[in-house]
Amino acid sequence: MNQENSTVLSSYEASAEEIQKVIMDWARATEAFHGRYAKLNQVINSLQTALSRQPKANRARLRQLIDLREHMSDVLMTLLLDMSGKKSGRSMQSSKPGQLHSHASLLDELNRKIDAELISFTTVAQA
């Protein structure tokens, strides 16, 4: 006698309001991330200009900011690939539950780190 084991999968269906909130959080975090990226580019450009006029300017600080910008680019590319579903040769996959929320949280965390770097730069530049 063949018995089939059936597994009941419980799934959580998010409400339209919850989905809208997650999308808005993601959009806000993404917009803030892009704004900070632009600001970081301005800071790096001004430091590079200062280095050409004053070679003894803080090269280590510039290197640190350039590394942060590269990290931001890597994170952004990773998130874009994650959203596209293309992962190392595998076929398209549907979005994972909570993916936008995870991305928004990651971007918020990175935004805080960027803010700390930019604030410390502004403080040093004003001194």
Side-chain angles (χ1 to χ4, degrees):
M1 183 167 151
N2 288 340
Q3 285 185 328
E4 292 183 22
N5 292 333
S6 62
T7 309
V8 177
L9 295 175
S10 63
S11 63
Y12 171 75
E13 294 273 340
S15 70
E17 293 81 19
E18 290 172 313
I19 292 171
Q20 183 178 8
K21 182 184 179 317
V22 167
I23 290 171
M24 293 304 293
D25 287 347
W26 178 82
R28 179 195 44 75
T30 303
E31 185 177 330
F33 184 80
H34 286 291
R36 283 169 177 85
Y37 190 87
K39 177 67 176 170
L40 186 59
N41 277 329
Q42 290 174 345
V43 169
I44 288 170
N45 290 339
S46 69
L47 278 176
Q48 288 173 329
T49 301
L51 279 175
S52 65
R53 287 180 280 154
Q54 299 172 344
K56 294 188 181 207
N58 194 344
R59 290 181 190 277
R61 181 79 178 132
L62 177 61
R63 184 73 238 158
Q64 183 180 10
L65 292 174
I66 290 172
D67 289 345
L68 178 60
R69 181 176 63 184
E70 288 173 6
H71 177 65
M72 291 174 71
S73 296
D74 291 345
V75 166
L76 193 57
M77 288 306 298
T78 300
L79 294 181
L80 289 173
L81 287 173
D82 192 27
M83 292 299 290
S84 74
K86 296 177 184 174
K87 296 185 179 145
S88 59
R90 288 190 246 157
S91 62
M92 290 288 285
Q93 299 173 351
S94 60
S95 268
K96 298 175 195 144
Q99 186 176 31
L100 287 178
H101 180 69
S102 298
H103 289 184
S105 296
L106 177 62
L107 290 174
D108 280 339
E109 178 184 332
L110 198 51
N111 285 338
R112 285 189 293 277
K113 289 179 182 178
I114 296 162
D115 285 345
E117 289 295 326
L118 292 175
I119 287 171
S120 68
F121 170 77
T122 304
T123 303
V124 169
Q126 290 175 353

